[in-house]
Amino acid sequence: QRRVHGEKVSVSFFLLCVFVSSDIFEIYLIMEPEWLQSTFESFCAFGDRGAAPLLDNAKFAKFARDTKIVGAPVTGTDVDLVFAKVKGKGERKINYAQFKEALVMLAAKKFGSAPDAYSKMLALVERSNAPASSGTVAESGGILDKLTDTSLYTGAHKERFDGSGQGRGLQGRDSVAKGGGVVSRAGAGAVSDLSQITRSNLKKGPTSLSGATKAAASPGSVTSGVASLRVTEEAKAEETSEPAARPARSPARSPVRSTEESDQSGGSEASSLDSVFATFCSFGDRSNTTLMDNAKFVKLARDCRLLDSKLTQTDVDLIFSKVKPRTERKIEYHHFQEGLKQMAAKKYPSKTPEEALRAVTALVLQNGAPSATGVSKTSATGIFSKLTDTSQYTGAHKERFDSSGQGRGLAGRESVGKGGGGAHTGYHGGNVSDLSQITRSNLRK
């Protein structure tokens, strides 16, 4: 620390006064407006109102930008260097005295060694002596203003606020306008008539409940009111004629053709081929019996032993691509029939098309069901068999099954052996008057 005119200043500021102009420091001592410290504190509190009056580098840089100090010849880098010079060693923030030193150094940087450099700097700061907020500002005519403008409220909500927009509290809730701008007759206390709290536009017409509820002040009248309401509803039900029965929907056509249809179109062989097609379609998806994808088409060829050196799986894939509709991924029965013809021509090239198709159809019908290869089977000696083997049950569980493993139903539950080789207790249902009725026989000794 060095002293200039009896004031403690930093080394950088001391050198500035010595080599640039000592007049700057004299003006600095004389010119300290009252608003300067409040400006410093406002930038310190920007974003953190409870912060101590200390300015960090980011807020000091914001101060230089907002007050237009940054600009030729002062850059943002110059501001950072000045901050680094005036702050204490190991510190990250500056106090008010260090802030004033920084202003003098920035004045010398921006306005040179002119005697009025510091006064020009103060004039810049005074023009924008508060931090500018560049964040998002809520739209004045947005949805929030519309939702909070009590002058636009109607009905019961309007009654809860006075003309100035202030809430009326309990007074605005005890007697709220329910309909047509008319305040309901319900006051504080018990409600003896529904017409006190219903809207006025709901009290008209033959179906109004006010007649049934006017006598609700006495306990007995509540029952009569409910009864009258029930009679009214029953009368309405009798007046309403029963709707005509809807015509029964015709049963869905089975994707597998019947035997009669098959006889008309070519005999029982076609019907069996239809069934094989539906069986492979439903493999893994029981609800599907009309569409076959590529994987199931290949599985049919493999399970029915159609694949060999002449008809390979690649050939089957290519045939499926040819017979399926464009952009589709599955085929229907007539596409399947065309696929069989192409597989027959590929598998039996030396035979006529009719003979080849007949031979392939025979193979398909001979092995007409998908094989379950690769499907895990339950082990006969696994935990499932042990848990379901009733011959290994003991105690109360054993009494619920007979020797053949069939459940005994209620007879196996009402009088269950509790201990000692299946001896029954004396309990057969009903109230328990003695603990000996439900305890095991070997616990009564």
Side-chain angles (χ1 to χ4, degrees):
Q1 296 286 339
R2 297 291 186 273
R3 290 181 179 271
V4 177
H5 294 277
E7 289 286 332
K8 286 185 177 181
V9 297
S10 64
V11 175
S12 301
F13 186 65
F14 175 77
L15 295 176
L16 178 68
C17 296
V18 172
F19 295 104
V20 179
S21 175
S22 60
D23 295 334
I24 295 179
F25 185 73
E26 292 175 359
I27 298 172
Y28 158 78
L29 291 176
I30 297 171
M31 299 180 63
E32 185 181 338
E34 298 178 356
W35 52 262
L36 185 59
Q37 186 166 0
S38 63
T39 300
F40 169 77
E41 292 174 353
S42 65
F43 276 94
C44 291
F46 182 75
D48 186 5
R49 296 183 180 179
L54 296 173
L55 204 63
D56 59 17
N57 193 9
K59 293 180 181 178
F60 184 69
K62 177 178 175 59
F63 162 79
R65 288 193 304 270
D66 292 353
T67 54
K68 306 295 191 260
I69 295 175
V70 174
V74 179
T75 64
T77 304
D78 296 327
V79 175
D80 293 337
L81 291 174
V82 168
F83 182 86
K85 289 178 182 178
V86 299
K87 75 178 182 66
K89 189 174 182 180
E91 299 293 333
R92 303 183 65 181
K93 297 182 180 181
I94 60 175
N95 54 28
Y96 180 59
Q98 293 167 329
F99 169 73
K100 290 190 296 180
E101 291 182 24
L103 280 185
V104 174
M105 299 175 72
L106 288 174
K109 179 69 177 177
K110 191 169 183 68
F111 302 108
S113 59
D116 60 345
Y118 189 66
S119 60
K120 290 181 179 179
M121 175 63 65
L122 293 178
L124 271 179
V125 175
E126 188 177 10
R127 274 191 219 111
S128 317
N129 60 356
S133 179
S134 59
T136 305
V137 181
E139 185 182 359
S140 58
I143 186 64
L144 180 63
D145 290 340
K146 293 179 182 178
L147 290 175
T148 55
D149 186 0
T150 57
S151 64
L152 301 175
Y153 290 1
T154 58
H157 302 287
K158 183 177 181 180
E159 293 295 322
R160 295 182 179 179
F161 298 90
D162 56 19
S164 63
Q166 296 295 321
R168 296 176 59 203
L170 194 59
Q171 184 181 1
R173 296 173 182 268
D174 280 349
S175 181
V176 181
K178 290 290 184 180
V182 180
V183 178
S184 63
R185 294 184 285 113
V191 177
S192 59
D193 194 328
L194 287 177
S195 62
Q196 294 180 255
I197 58 174
T198 54
R199 299 178 182 175
S200 57
N201 57 352
L202 298 179
K203 301 173 188 175
K204 302 173 183 178
T207 59
S208 173
L209 297 180
S210 58
T213 56
K214 282 182 179 179
S218 62
S221 61
V222 176
T223 306
S224 61
V226 174
S228 63
L229 180 61
R230 185 179 302 162
V231 171
T232 305
E233 295 296 334
E234 291 176 356
K236 287 183 180 180
E238 292 176 359
E239 292 174 1
T240 306
S241 60
E242 294 184 0
R246 295 182 181 178
R249 297 176 66 181
S250 58
R253 180 180 175 87
S254 173
V256 181
R257 294 180 294 177
S258 63
T259 306
E260 296 178 358
E261 292 174 341
S262 302
D263 291 340
Q264 294 175 3
S265 61
S268 59
E269 182 179 299
S271 175
S272 301
L273 191 61
D274 235 357
S275 302
V276 172
F277 173 78
T279 303
F280 275 91
C281 288
S282 62
F283 183 74
D285 183 8
R286 296 182 180 179
S287 61
N288 172 35
T289 57
T290 58
L291 296 173
M292 179 180 287
D293 58 18
N294 191 13
K296 293 179 181 178
F297 188 69
V298 172
K299 179 175 178 60
L300 181 141
R302 185 171 52 248
D303 291 354
C304 295
R305 309 194 181 197
L306 300 181
L307 300 181
D308 55 15
S309 59
K310 295 179 181 179
L311 181 65
T312 64
Q313 181 172 329
T314 303
D315 296 327
V316 176
D317 290 334
L318 292 174
I319 291 172
F320 181 86
S321 300
K322 291 178 182 178
V323 300
K324 77 177 182 66
R326 194 171 184 179
T327 72
E328 297 294 333
R329 302 182 64 181
K330 296 182 179 181
I331 60 174
E332 297 180 357
Y333 180 70
H334 62 279
H335 303 127
F336 170 71
Q337 290 178 311
E338 180 62 27
L340 284 184
K341 292 179 182 179
Q342 296 192 24
M343 285 194 293
K346 186 74 175 175
K347 185 175 179 64
Y348 303 109
S350 60
K351 296 183 179 181
T352 63
E354 293 77 9
E355 292 176 349
L357 179 60
R358 196 177 300 113
V360 167
T361 303
L363 285 175
V364 171
L365 296 177
Q366 183 180 351
N367 306 279
S371 62
T373 56
V375 179
S376 300
K377 297 182 179 180
T378 306
S379 174
T381 58
I383 185 64
F384 183 75
S385 298
K386 294 180 180 179
L387 290 175
T388 55
D389 185 1
T390 58
S391 63
Q392 298 184 24
Y393 290 1
T394 59
H397 304 287
K398 182 177 181 179
E399 294 294 326
R400 295 183 179 178
F401 299 91
D402 57 19
S403 57
S404 64
Q406 296 295 321
R408 297 176 57 206
L410 193 60
R413 295 174 181 269
E414 284 187 345
S415 182
V416 180
K418 291 290 185 179
H424 296 332
T425 63
Y427 181 65
H428 296 275
N431 295 329
V432 178
S433 58
D434 192 333
L435 287 178
S436 61
Q437 293 179 252
I438 57 173
T439 55
R440 299 178 182 175
S441 56
N442 58 351
L443 297 179
R444 301 175 195 166
K445 302 174 183 178

